[in-house]
Amino acid sequence: MELDLTPKLPKQVYGGDGGSYYAWCPEELPMLKEGNIGAAKLALEQHGFAVPRYSDSPKVAYVLQGSGTAGIVLPEKEEKVIGIKEGDSIALPFGVVTWWFNSGESELVILFLGETHKAHKRGVFTDFYLTGSNGIFTGFSEEFVGRAWDLDETTVKKLVGSQTGKGIVKLDAGVKMPQPRKEDREGFVLNCLEAPLDVDIKDGGRVVVLNTKNLPLVGEVGFGADLVRIDAHSMCSPGFSCDSALQVTYIVAGSGRVQVVGADGKRVLETHIKAGSLFIVPRFFVVSKIADPEGMSWFSIVTTPDPIFTHLAGRTSVWKALSPEVLQAAFKVDPEVEQSFRSKRTSDAIFFPPSN
């Protein structure tokens, strides 16, 4: 059965005055289940608070817009209180407890991408809330809560029953929340809009790669990520992951066209993509994109911590490494055609600006 690779938008799972949680579901995007991938978005209004929770899946979080505060507690470690802003990327390994708060005036939106190999449901993140009407406390009897935390009955009832919200709540404007500590960002956050560029091609595009070198926690989540921004009408070279990784791509801004080619030279996807949509490229399939006039940017995870890509066009193309005789025989062309093919794209790497 052929897989549907069509890009999809997320659907709201729950929400209220404080904000909403959205997710992509495997029923609409089959590659989520096929590739054991989860994808979701958290959108918090001003004073919106996503209560402490942990997940059954490792993730990478990327701040799409706004600013706020994140609380992160690694197993048996102290809480890190981190100020977050647009462009920030955070690796969230197994066992981490997080909370999120919108201390700004505009909406705070955070993207989550990750693997679900050990999750309860393939292709779906399951969060376990510590408080609220669906929190851990409400599941245990008052006797167990009292015994576990050495509390009297009155205190137990307040702890269990006071917070009636579910997942996301809106705090009163006067509620004091922990202030971010600058030193807590170290080793936990990389801002992809401010980090040194790994690729920078004039009028073509720019790339920042998250890996174990610039964000060590990437090694614990088990996959890498990158932010790619290409300029108006630029093309991203056709390429594939040569270490059997899946590419999970969320369009952050702009729009453009995408083509994906699979086994037997079959074009399995040709469509127009726009901001907010997500699509997944299967292992070893070749993908290429061309931006519309406003340019296009995307955030991706690749299901290996230090991904390796093979590009089929440009200065680093595999074609440049093959001998002329092999190319002539493979394409069944004469030397003049092969030389014309080889002589092109000798300076460009992976992004091709439009020709003037």
Side-chain angles (χ1 to χ4, degrees):
M1 183 179 70
E2 293 186 0
L3 286 173
D4 179 11
L5 303 183
T6 306
K8 301 292 185 182
L9 297 172
K11 288 189 174 181
Q12 185 183 35
V13 179
Y14 64 86
D17 292 341
S20 297
Y21 180 83
Y22 302 84
W24 284 265
C25 62
E27 290 73 23
E28 293 191 355
L29 193 58
M31 274 303 298
L32 291 173
K33 186 174 183 179
E34 180 72 17
N36 259 318
I37 298 295
K41 281 201 302 187
L42 176 66
L44 295 178
E45 303 294 336
Q46 186 179 23
H47 304 308
F49 176 47
V51 303
R53 82 275 313 273
Y54 62 92
S55 177
D56 64 356
S57 305
K59 308 171 187 175
V60 169
Y62 181 75
V63 181
L64 295 169
Q65 69 178 65
S67 61
T69 308
I72 299 176
V73 182
L74 293 174
E76 299 183 359
K77 301 288 185 180
E78 293 183 352
E79 179 187 51
K80 300 289 185 180
V81 181
I82 299 169
I84 56 174
K85 60 182 180 179
E86 181 179 348
D88 279 350
S89 186
I90 308 169
L92 303 173
F94 274 120
V96 66
V97 172
T98 64
W99 55 262
W100 311 85
F101 177 64
N102 184 357
S103 55
E105 296 182 355
S106 60
E107 188 178 41
L108 172 63
V109 184
I110 305 164
L111 173 72
F112 298 96
L113 300 177
E115 289 188 324
T116 61
H117 284 92
K118 297 182 180 179
H120 286 266
K121 299 177 183 178
R122 294 178 63 181
V124 177
F125 297 141
T126 299
D127 288 338
F128 295 82
Y129 306 95
L130 301 190
T131 68
S133 62
N134 59 340
I136 300 299
F137 265 48
T138 60
F140 283 108
S141 67
E142 292 181 2
E143 177 195 0
F144 271 60
V145 173
R147 287 283 298 276
W149 285 275
D150 191 21
L151 299 171
D152 60 65
E153 185 178 348
T154 301
T155 304
V156 168
K157 289 182 180 297
K158 288 181 179 180
L159 279 174
V160 173
S162 296
Q163 180 56 270
T164 58
K166 178 182 178 181
I168 300 172
V169 298
K170 186 164 187 174
L171 303 182
D172 294 334
V175 172
K176 297 289 186 182
M177 292 294 284
Q179 291 299 305
R181 297 183 289 264
K182 186 177 181 180
E183 62 270 20
D184 284 355
R185 284 179 63 91
E186 189 69 30
F188 278 84
V189 182
L190 180 74
N191 188 281
C192 297
L193 301 178
E194 300 173 354
L197 297 172
D198 293 282
V199 177
D200 185 7
I201 297 176
K202 180 176 171 54
D203 299 324
R206 292 151 296 284
V207 181
V208 170
V209 178
L210 279 74
N211 52 36
T212 54
K213 296 177 183 178
N214 55 20
L215 197 60
L217 277 176
V218 163
E220 292 191 36
V221 299
F223 48 85
D226 58 29
L227 177 69
V228 180
R229 292 168 283 170
I230 60 175
D231 297 322
H233 302 296
S234 287
M235 181 182 197
C236 182
S237 169
F240 65 94
S241 171
C242 58
D243 48 7
S244 74
L246 293 163
Q247 299 177 59
V248 185
T249 299
Y250 174 86
I251 307 302
V252 175
S255 60
R257 291 176 290 148
V258 61
Q259 291 187 358
V260 177
V261 176
D264 297 323
K266 183 177 181 181
R267 190 184 310 151
V268 293
L269 179 66
E270 181 175 16
T271 191
H272 187 264
I273 47 178
K274 60 182 181 179
S277 59
L278 180 112
F279 69 100
I280 301 173
V281 179
R283 293 176 175 85
F284 302 112
F285 282 36
V286 179
V287 59
S288 182
K289 310 176 190 72
I290 298 177
D292 284 340
E294 72 269 32
M296 182 166 59
S297 63
W298 60 87
F299 185 82
S300 299
I301 65 166
V302 182
T303 55
T304 181
D306 293 295
I308 302 173
F309 286 96
T310 293
H311 292 280
L312 300 180
R315 175 171 46 83
T316 59
S317 166
V318 64
W319 299 118
K320 305 295 185 186
L322 291 171
S323 61
E325 295 80 5
V326 170
L327 290 184
Q328 292 168 32
F331 281 116
K332 196 179 179 180
V333 296
D334 56 41
E336 290 75 21
V337 173
E338 185 277 329
Q339 178 57 35
S340 175
F341 175 68
R342 181 182 296 274
S343 66
K344 303 296 183 180
R345 300 294 187 201
T346 57
S347 59
D348 299 321
I350 60 172
F351 300 127
F352 311 139
S355 55
N356 295 325

PDB file of all heavy atoms in Angstrom, residues 178-211:
ATOM      1  N   PRO A 178       8.462  31.904  38.785  1.00  0.00           N
ATOM      2  CA  PRO A 178       9.922  31.994  38.900  1.00  0.00           C
ATOM      3  C   PRO A 178      10.515  32.830  37.767  1.00  0.00           C
ATOM      4  O   PRO A 178      10.063  32.767  36.623  1.00  0.00           O
ATOM      5  CB  PRO A 178      10.378  30.539  38.805  1.00  0.00           C
ATOM      6  CG  PRO A 178       9.183  29.731  39.165  1.00  0.00           C
ATOM      7  CD  PRO A 178       7.996  30.505  38.709  1.00  0.00           C
ATOM      8  N   GLN A 179      11.524  33.611  38.091  1.00  0.00           N
ATOM      9  CA  GLN A 179      12.209  34.420  37.093  1.00  0.00           C
ATOM     10  C   GLN A 179      13.306  33.596  36.410  1.00  0.00           C
ATOM     11  O   GLN A 179      14.031  32.834  37.067  1.00  0.00           O
ATOM     12  CB  GLN A 179      12.820  35.658  37.742  1.00  0.00           C
ATOM     13  CG  GLN A 179      11.791  36.671  38.230  1.00  0.00           C
ATOM     14  CD  GLN A 179      10.929  37.191  37.078  1.00  0.00           C
ATOM     15  OE1 GLN A 179      11.439  37.695  36.082  1.00  0.00           O
ATOM     16  NE2 GLN A 179       9.612  37.039  37.226  1.00  0.00           N
ATOM     17  N   PRO A 180      13.423  33.722  35.096  1.00  0.00           N
ATOM     18  CA  PRO A 180      14.460  32.970  34.381  1.00  0.00           C
ATOM     19  C   PRO A 180      15.859  33.332  34.886  1.00  0.00           C
ATOM     20  O   PRO A 180      16.122  34.467  35.285  1.00  0.00           O
ATOM     21  CB  PRO A 180      14.274  33.411  32.929  1.00  0.00           C
ATOM     22  CG  PRO A 180      12.881  33.938  32.852  1.00  0.00           C
ATOM     23  CD  PRO A 180      12.586  34.532  34.184  1.00  0.00           C
ATOM     24  N   ARG A 181      16.738  32.342  34.838  1.00  0.00           N
ATOM     25  CA  ARG A 181      18.133  32.546  35.208  1.00  0.00           C
ATOM     26  C   ARG A 181      18.993  32.351  33.961  1.00  0.00           C
ATOM     27  O   ARG A 181      18.937  31.303  33.310  1.00  0.00           O
ATOM     28  CB  ARG A 181      18.535  31.558  36.301  1.00  0.00           C
ATOM     29  CG  ARG A 181      17.748  31.739  37.604  1.00  0.00           C
ATOM     30  CD  ARG A 181      18.241  30.782  38.680  1.00  0.00           C
ATOM     31  NE  ARG A 181      17.883  29.399  38.416  1.00  0.00           N
ATOM     32  CZ  ARG A 181      16.814  28.791  38.932  1.00  0.00           C
ATOM     33  NH1 ARG A 181      15.996  29.456  39.745  1.00  0.00           N
ATOM     34  NH2 ARG A 181      16.569  27.520  38.657  1.00  0.00           N
ATOM     35  N   LYS A 182      19.776  33.370  33.653  1.00  0.00           N
ATOM     36  CA  LYS A 182      20.561  33.360  32.424  1.00  0.00           C
ATOM     37  C   LYS A 182      21.458  32.135  32.331  1.00  0.00           C
ATOM     38  O   LYS A 182      21.610  31.522  31.273  1.00  0.00           O
ATOM     39  CB  LYS A 182      21.385  34.639  32.325  1.00  0.00           C
ATOM     40  CG  LYS A 182      22.123  34.799  31.002  1.00  0.00           C
ATOM     41  CD  LYS A 182      22.855  36.124  30.933  1.00  0.00           C
ATOM     42  CE  LYS A 182      23.565  36.288  29.597  1.00  0.00           C
ATOM     43  NZ  LYS A 182      24.296  37.590  29.521  1.00  0.00           N
ATOM     44  N   GLU A 183      22.049  31.761  33.467  1.00  0.00           N
ATOM     45  CA  GLU A 183      22.980  30.636  33.462  1.00  0.00           C
ATOM     46  C   GLU A 183      22.289  29.303  33.177  1.00  0.00           C
ATOM     47  O   GLU A 183      22.929  28.328  32.773  1.00  0.00           O
ATOM     48  CB  GLU A 183      23.722  30.554  34.801  1.00  0.00           C
ATOM     49  CG  GLU A 183      22.839  30.320  36.024  1.00  0.00           C
ATOM     50  CD  GLU A 183      22.341  31.599  36.673  1.00  0.00           C
ATOM     51  OE1 GLU A 183      22.334  32.654  35.998  1.00  0.00           O
ATOM     52  OE2 GLU A 183      21.969  31.532  37.865  1.00  0.00           O
ATOM     53  N   ASP A 184      20.957  29.248  33.378  1.00  0.00           N
ATOM     54  CA  ASP A 184      20.231  27.999  33.154  1.00  0.00           C
ATOM     55  C   ASP A 184      20.083  27.657  31.669  1.00  0.00           C
ATOM     56  O   ASP A 184      19.775  26.509  31.322  1.00  0.00           O
ATOM     57  CB  ASP A 184      18.842  28.065  33.805  1.00  0.00           C
ATOM     58  CG  ASP A 184      18.913  27.886  35.317  1.00  0.00           C
ATOM     59  OD1 ASP A 184      20.017  27.627  35.831  1.00  0.00           O
ATOM     60  OD2 ASP A 184      17.862  28.017  35.982  1.00  0.00           O
ATOM     61  N   ARG A 185      20.292  28.652  30.799  1.00  0.00           N
ATOM     62  CA  ARG A 185      20.204  28.375  29.355  1.00  0.00           C
ATOM     63  C   ARG A 185      21.391  27.547  28.874  1.00  0.00           C
ATOM     64  O   ARG A 185      21.288  26.823  27.876  1.00  0.00           O
ATOM     65  CB  ARG A 185      20.149  29.680  28.557  1.00  0.00           C
ATOM     66  CG  ARG A 185      18.811  30.386  28.590  1.00  0.00           C
ATOM     67  CD  ARG A 185      18.870  31.679  27.784  1.00  0.00           C
ATOM     68  NE  ARG A 185      19.136  31.463  26.376  1.00  0.00           N
ATOM     69  CZ  ARG A 185      18.208  31.298  25.442  1.00  0.00           C
ATOM     70  NH1 ARG A 185      16.922  31.312  25.779  1.00  0.00           N
ATOM     71  NH2 ARG A 185      18.539  31.122  24.176  1.00  0.00           N
ATOM     72  N   GLU A 186      22.511  27.651  29.563  1.00  0.00           N
ATOM     73  CA  GLU A 186      23.742  27.010  29.124  1.00  0.00           C
ATOM     74  C   GLU A 186      23.561  25.491  29.019  1.00  0.00           C
ATOM     75  O   GLU A 186      23.211  24.823  29.985  1.00  0.00           O
ATOM     76  CB  GLU A 186      24.874  27.318  30.105  1.00  0.00           C
ATOM     77  CG  GLU A 186      26.246  26.887  29.632  1.00  0.00           C
ATOM     78  CD  GLU A 186      26.746  27.704  28.463  1.00  0.00           C
ATOM     79  OE1 GLU A 186      26.377  28.899  28.346  1.00  0.00           O
ATOM     80  OE2 GLU A 186      27.504  27.141  27.658  1.00  0.00           O
ATOM     81  N   GLY A 187      23.789  24.986  27.822  1.00  0.00           N
ATOM     82  CA  GLY A 187      23.703  23.555  27.601  1.00  0.00           C
ATOM     83  C   GLY A 187      22.301  23.025  27.363  1.00  0.00           C
ATOM     84  O   GLY A 187      22.132  21.854  27.012  1.00  0.00           O
ATOM     85  N   PHE A 188      21.291  23.888  27.542  1.00  0.00           N
ATOM     86  CA  PHE A 188      19.906  23.447  27.365  1.00  0.00           C
ATOM     87  C   PHE A 188      19.242  24.035  26.125  1.00  0.00           C
ATOM     88  O   PHE A 188      18.324  23.443  25.572  1.00  0.00           O
ATOM     89  CB  PHE A 188      19.066  23.834  28.596  1.00  0.00           C
ATOM     90  CG  PHE A 188      19.195  22.884  29.738  1.00  0.00           C
ATOM     91  CD1 PHE A 188      20.246  22.998  30.626  1.00  0.00           C
ATOM     92  CD2 PHE A 188      18.288  21.855  29.924  1.00  0.00           C
ATOM     93  CE1 PHE A 188      20.386  22.118  31.692  1.00  0.00           C
ATOM     94  CE2 PHE A 188      18.412  20.970  30.979  1.00  0.00           C
ATOM     95  CZ  PHE A 188      19.469  21.095  31.868  1.00  0.00           C
ATOM     96  N   VAL A 189      19.701  25.226  25.714  1.00  0.00           N
ATOM     97  CA  VAL A 189      19.023  25.957  24.648  1.00  0.00           C
ATOM     98  C   VAL A 189      20.023  26.413  23.592  1.00  0.00           C
ATOM     99  O   VAL A 189      21.131  26.860  23.912  1.00  0.00           O
ATOM    100  CB  VAL A 189      18.289  27.195  25.210  1.00  0.00           C
ATOM    101  CG1 VAL A 189      17.535  27.916  24.104  1.00  0.00           C
ATOM    102  CG2 VAL A 189      17.343  26.799  26.325  1.00  0.00           C
ATOM    103  N   LEU A 190      19.623  26.309  22.335  1.00  0.00           N
ATOM    104  CA  LEU A 190      20.372  26.907  21.232  1.00  0.00           C
ATOM    105  C   LEU A 190      19.388  27.734  20.418  1.00  0.00           C
ATOM    106  O   LEU A 190      18.374  27.216  19.956  1.00  0.00           O
ATOM    107  CB  LEU A 190      21.013  25.841  20.348  1.00  0.00           C
ATOM    108  CG  LEU A 190      21.813  26.391  19.161  1.00  0.00           C
ATOM    109  CD1 LEU A 190      23.131  26.975  19.642  1.00  0.00           C
ATOM    110  CD2 LEU A 190      22.073  25.311  18.116  1.00  0.00           C
ATOM    111  N   ASN A 191      19.677  29.030  20.258  1.00  0.00           N
ATOM    112  CA  ASN A 191      18.807  29.860  19.429  1.00  0.00           C
ATOM    113  C   ASN A 191      19.262  29.761  17.977  1.00  0.00           C
ATOM    114  O   ASN A 191      20.364  30.191  17.618  1.00  0.00           O
ATOM    115  CB  ASN A 191      18.827  31.314  19.895  1.00  0.00           C
ATOM    116  CG  ASN A 191      17.770  32.143  19.162  1.00  0.00           C
ATOM    117  OD1 ASN A 191      17.963  32.549  18.035  1.00  0.00           O
ATOM    118  ND2 ASN A 191      16.640  32.346  19.822  1.00  0.00           N
ATOM    119  N   CYS A 192      18.411  29.183  17.151  1.00  0.00           N
ATOM    120  CA  CYS A 192      18.764  28.910  15.758  1.00  0.00           C
ATOM    121  C   CYS A 192      18.837  30.173  14.898  1.00  0.00           C
ATOM    122  O   CYS A 192      19.402  30.143  13.805  1.00  0.00           O
ATOM    123  CB  CYS A 192      17.756  27.934  15.155  1.00  0.00           C
ATOM    124  SG  CYS A 192      17.750  26.318  15.940  1.00  0.00           S
ATOM    125  N   LEU A 193      18.246  31.276  15.383  1.00  0.00           N
ATOM    126  CA  LEU A 193      18.303  32.531  14.631  1.00  0.00           C
ATOM    127  C   LEU A 193      19.553  33.332  14.964  1.00  0.00           C
ATOM    128  O   LEU A 193      19.885  34.286  14.257  1.00  0.00           O
ATOM    129  CB  LEU A 193      17.052  33.366  14.930  1.00  0.00           C
ATOM    130  CG  LEU A 193      15.708  32.713  14.603  1.00  0.00           C
ATOM    131  CD1 LEU A 193      14.562  33.637  14.995  1.00  0.00           C
ATOM    132  CD2 LEU A 193      15.626  32.354  13.124  1.00  0.00           C
ATOM    133  N   GLU A 194      20.246  32.955  16.050  1.00  0.00           N
ATOM    134  CA  GLU A 194      21.441  33.686  16.479  1.00  0.00           C
ATOM    135  C   GLU A 194      22.702  32.836  16.420  1.00  0.00           C
ATOM    136  O   GLU A 194      23.810  33.378  16.475  1.00  0.00           O
ATOM    137  CB  GLU A 194      21.244  34.189  17.911  1.00  0.00           C
ATOM    138  CG  GLU A 194      20.052  35.139  18.077  1.00  0.00           C
ATOM    139  CD  GLU A 194      19.778  35.481  19.532  1.00  0.00           C
ATOM    140  OE1 GLU A 194      20.449  34.885  20.415  1.00  0.00           O
ATOM    141  OE2 GLU A 194      18.913  36.329  19.786  1.00  0.00           O
ATOM    142  N   ALA A 195      22.575  31.542  16.300  1.00  0.00           N
ATOM    143  CA  ALA A 195      23.735  30.639  16.321  1.00  0.00           C
ATOM    144  C   ALA A 195      24.575  30.797  15.054  1.00  0.00           C
ATOM    145  O   ALA A 195      24.074  31.228  14.003  1.00  0.00           O
ATOM    146  CB  ALA A 195      23.253  29.200  16.452  1.00  0.00           C
ATOM    147  N   PRO A 196      25.871  30.454  15.122  1.00  0.00           N
ATOM    148  CA  PRO A 196      26.713  30.470  13.916  1.00  0.00           C
ATOM    149  C   PRO A 196      26.117  29.580  12.830  1.00  0.00           C
ATOM    150  O   PRO A 196      25.596  28.504  13.107  1.00  0.00           O
ATOM    151  CB  PRO A 196      28.049  29.905  14.422  1.00  0.00           C
ATOM    152  CG  PRO A 196      28.047  30.173  15.888  1.00  0.00           C
ATOM    153  CD  PRO A 196      26.620  30.055  16.327  1.00  0.00           C
ATOM    154  N   LEU A 197      26.213  30.059  11.598  1.00  0.00           N
ATOM    155  CA  LEU A 197      25.630  29.325  10.477  1.00  0.00           C
ATOM    156  C   LEU A 197      26.543  28.185  10.052  1.00  0.00           C
ATOM    157  O   LEU A 197      27.758  28.344   9.948  1.00  0.00           O
ATOM    158  CB  LEU A 197      25.397  30.274   9.294  1.00  0.00           C
ATOM    159  CG  LEU A 197      24.406  31.413   9.541  1.00  0.00           C
ATOM    160  CD1 LEU A 197      24.424  32.385   8.367  1.00  0.00           C
ATOM    161  CD2 LEU A 197      22.997  30.872   9.760  1.00  0.00           C
ATOM    162  N   ASP A 198      25.945  27.029   9.790  1.00  0.00           N
ATOM    163  CA  ASP A 198      26.696  25.903   9.263  1.00  0.00           C
ATOM    164  C   ASP A 198      26.820  25.979   7.745  1.00  0.00           C
ATOM    165  O   ASP A 198      27.781  25.487   7.167  1.00  0.00           O
ATOM    166  CB  ASP A 198      26.020  24.586   9.670  1.00  0.00           C
ATOM    167  CG  ASP A 198      26.084  24.359  11.165  1.00  0.00           C
ATOM    168  OD1 ASP A 198      27.145  23.956  11.659  1.00  0.00           O
ATOM    169  OD2 ASP A 198      25.075  24.615  11.849  1.00  0.00           O
ATOM    170  N   VAL A 199      25.831  26.592   7.113  1.00  0.00           N
ATOM    171  CA  VAL A 199      25.851  26.834   5.666  1.00  0.00           C
ATOM    172  C   VAL A 199      25.311  28.237   5.435  1.00  0.00           C
ATOM    173  O   VAL A 199      24.314  28.635   6.034  1.00  0.00           O
ATOM    174  CB  VAL A 199      24.979  25.814   4.891  1.00  0.00           C
ATOM    175  CG1 VAL A 199      24.978  26.142   3.401  1.00  0.00           C
ATOM    176  CG2 VAL A 199      25.466  24.396   5.116  1.00  0.00           C
ATOM    177  N   ASP A 200      25.985  29.000   4.586  1.00  0.00           N
ATOM    178  CA  ASP A 200      25.538  30.360   4.269  1.00  0.00           C
ATOM    179  C   ASP A 200      25.886  30.648   2.821  1.00  0.00           C
ATOM    180  O   ASP A 200      27.048  30.849   2.477  1.00  0.00           O
ATOM    181  CB  ASP A 200      26.209  31.364   5.203  1.00  0.00           C
ATOM    182  CG  ASP A 200      25.684  32.787   5.010  1.00  0.00           C
ATOM    183  OD1 ASP A 200      24.707  32.960   4.257  1.00  0.00           O
ATOM    184  OD2 ASP A 200      26.263  33.721   5.594  1.00  0.00           O
ATOM    185  N   ILE A 201      24.884  30.645   1.955  1.00  0.00           N
ATOM    186  CA  ILE A 201      25.081  30.877   0.531  1.00  0.00           C
ATOM    187  C   ILE A 201      24.340  32.144   0.137  1.00  0.00           C
ATOM    188  O   ILE A 201      23.119  32.245   0.326  1.00  0.00           O
ATOM    189  CB  ILE A 201      24.586  29.681  -0.302  1.00  0.00           C
ATOM    190  CG1 ILE A 201      25.412  28.442   0.057  1.00  0.00           C
ATOM    191  CG2 ILE A 201      24.669  29.975  -1.788  1.00  0.00           C
ATOM    192  CD1 ILE A 201      24.960  27.175  -0.613  1.00  0.00           C
ATOM    193  N   LYS A 202      25.061  33.109  -0.383  1.00  0.00           N
ATOM    194  CA  LYS A 202      24.491  34.401  -0.745  1.00  0.00           C
ATOM    195  C   LYS A 202      23.321  34.233  -1.703  1.00  0.00           C
ATOM    196  O   LYS A 202      23.440  33.541  -2.726  1.00  0.00           O
ATOM    197  CB  LYS A 202      25.571  35.287  -1.371  1.00  0.00           C
ATOM    198  CG  LYS A 202      25.079  36.674  -1.790  1.00  0.00           C
ATOM    199  CD  LYS A 202      26.214  37.514  -2.316  1.00  0.00           C
ATOM    200  CE  LYS A 202      25.734  38.807  -2.942  1.00  0.00           C
ATOM    201  NZ  LYS A 202      24.883  39.618  -2.059  1.00  0.00           N
ATOM    202  N   ASP A 203      22.189  34.845  -1.335  1.00  0.00           N
ATOM    203  CA  ASP A 203      20.951  34.808  -2.121  1.00  0.00           C
ATOM    204  C   ASP A 203      20.393  33.392  -2.279  1.00  0.00           C
ATOM    205  O   ASP A 203      19.456  33.170  -3.049  1.00  0.00           O
ATOM    206  CB  ASP A 203      21.150  35.427  -3.515  1.00  0.00           C
ATOM    207  CG  ASP A 203      21.552  36.889  -3.440  1.00  0.00           C
ATOM    208  OD1 ASP A 203      21.053  37.593  -2.537  1.00  0.00           O
ATOM    209  OD2 ASP A 203      22.366  37.327  -4.273  1.00  0.00           O
ATOM    210  N   GLY A 204      21.005  32.443  -1.562  1.00  0.00           N
ATOM    211  CA  GLY A 204      20.540  31.058  -1.661  1.00  0.00           C
ATOM    212  C   GLY A 204      19.843  30.604  -0.404  1.00  0.00           C
ATOM    213  O   GLY A 204      18.622  30.441  -0.372  1.00  0.00           O
ATOM    214  N   GLY A 205      20.608  30.438   0.672  1.00  0.00           N
ATOM    215  CA  GLY A 205      19.992  29.981   1.911  1.00  0.00           C
ATOM    216  C   GLY A 205      21.004  29.814   3.024  1.00  0.00           C
ATOM    217  O   GLY A 205      22.222  29.931   2.822  1.00  0.00           O
ATOM    218  N   ARG A 206      20.476  29.523   4.218  1.00  0.00           N
ATOM    219  CA  ARG A 206      21.294  29.379   5.415  1.00  0.00           C
ATOM    220  C   ARG A 206      20.783  28.197   6.236  1.00  0.00           C
ATOM    221  O   ARG A 206      19.577  27.923   6.241  1.00  0.00           O
ATOM    222  CB  ARG A 206      21.223  30.659   6.273  1.00  0.00           C
ATOM    223  CG  ARG A 206      21.888  31.852   5.605  1.00  0.00           C
ATOM    224  CD  ARG A 206      21.279  33.158   6.021  1.00  0.00           C
ATOM    225  NE  ARG A 206      19.887  33.289   5.620  1.00  0.00           N
ATOM    226  CZ  ARG A 206      19.481  33.543   4.379  1.00  0.00           C
ATOM    227  NH1 ARG A 206      20.379  33.678   3.417  1.00  0.00           N
ATOM    228  NH2 ARG A 206      18.208  33.641   4.092  1.00  0.00           N
ATOM    229  N   VAL A 207      21.704  27.550   6.948  1.00  0.00           N
ATOM    230  CA  VAL A 207      21.355  26.390   7.760  1.00  0.00           C
ATOM    231  C   VAL A 207      22.047  26.481   9.115  1.00  0.00           C
ATOM    232  O   VAL A 207      23.233  26.823   9.187  1.00  0.00           O
ATOM    233  CB  VAL A 207      21.783  25.059   7.087  1.00  0.00           C
ATOM    234  CG1 VAL A 207      21.380  23.866   7.958  1.00  0.00           C
ATOM    235  CG2 VAL A 207      21.179  24.924   5.706  1.00  0.00           C
ATOM    236  N   VAL A 208      21.294  26.167  10.168  1.00  0.00           N
ATOM    237  CA  VAL A 208      21.871  25.927  11.487  1.00  0.00           C
ATOM    238  C   VAL A 208      21.496  24.506  11.883  1.00  0.00           C
ATOM    239  O   VAL A 208      20.319  24.135  11.859  1.00  0.00           O
ATOM    240  CB  VAL A 208      21.340  26.921  12.541  1.00  0.00           C
ATOM    241  CG1 VAL A 208      21.765  26.498  13.946  1.00  0.00           C
ATOM    242  CG2 VAL A 208      21.850  28.322  12.247  1.00  0.00           C
ATOM    243  N   VAL A 209      22.504  23.703  12.209  1.00  0.00           N
ATOM    244  CA  VAL A 209      22.299  22.301  12.547  1.00  0.00           C
ATOM    245  C   VAL A 209      22.431  22.110  14.051  1.00  0.00           C
ATOM    246  O   VAL A 209      23.381  22.588  14.666  1.00  0.00           O
ATOM    247  CB  VAL A 209      23.315  21.398  11.818  1.00  0.00           C
ATOM    248  CG1 VAL A 209      23.110  19.938  12.220  1.00  0.00           C
ATOM    249  CG2 VAL A 209      23.185  21.554  10.308  1.00  0.00           C
ATOM    250  N   LEU A 210      21.461  21.444  14.651  1.00  0.00           N
ATOM    251  CA  LEU A 210      21.550  21.057  16.065  1.00  0.00           C
ATOM    252  C   LEU A 210      22.108  19.649  16.132  1.00  0.00           C
ATOM    253  O   LEU A 210      21.540  18.718  15.543  1.00  0.00           O
ATOM    254  CB  LEU A 210      20.164  21.073  16.725  1.00  0.00           C
ATOM    255  CG  LEU A 210      19.598  22.402  17.195  1.00  0.00           C
ATOM    256  CD1 LEU A 210      19.146  23.255  16.012  1.00  0.00           C
ATOM    257  CD2 LEU A 210      18.424  22.153  18.119  1.00  0.00           C
ATOM    258  N   ASN A 211      23.227  19.513  16.834  1.00  0.00           N
ATOM    259  CA  ASN A 211      23.820  18.193  16.982  1.00  0.00           C
ATOM    260  C   ASN A 211      24.476  18.088  18.355  1.00  0.00           C
ATOM    261  O   ASN A 211      24.320  18.969  19.195  1.00  0.00           O
ATOM    262  CB  ASN A 211      24.823  17.916  15.853  1.00  0.00           C
ATOM    263  CG  ASN A 211      25.854  19.035  15.713  1.00  0.00           C
ATOM    264  OD1 ASN A 211      26.275  19.613  16.718  1.00  0.00           O
ATOM    265  ND2 ASN A 211      26.245  19.336  14.483  1.00  0.00           N
TER     266      ASN A 211
END
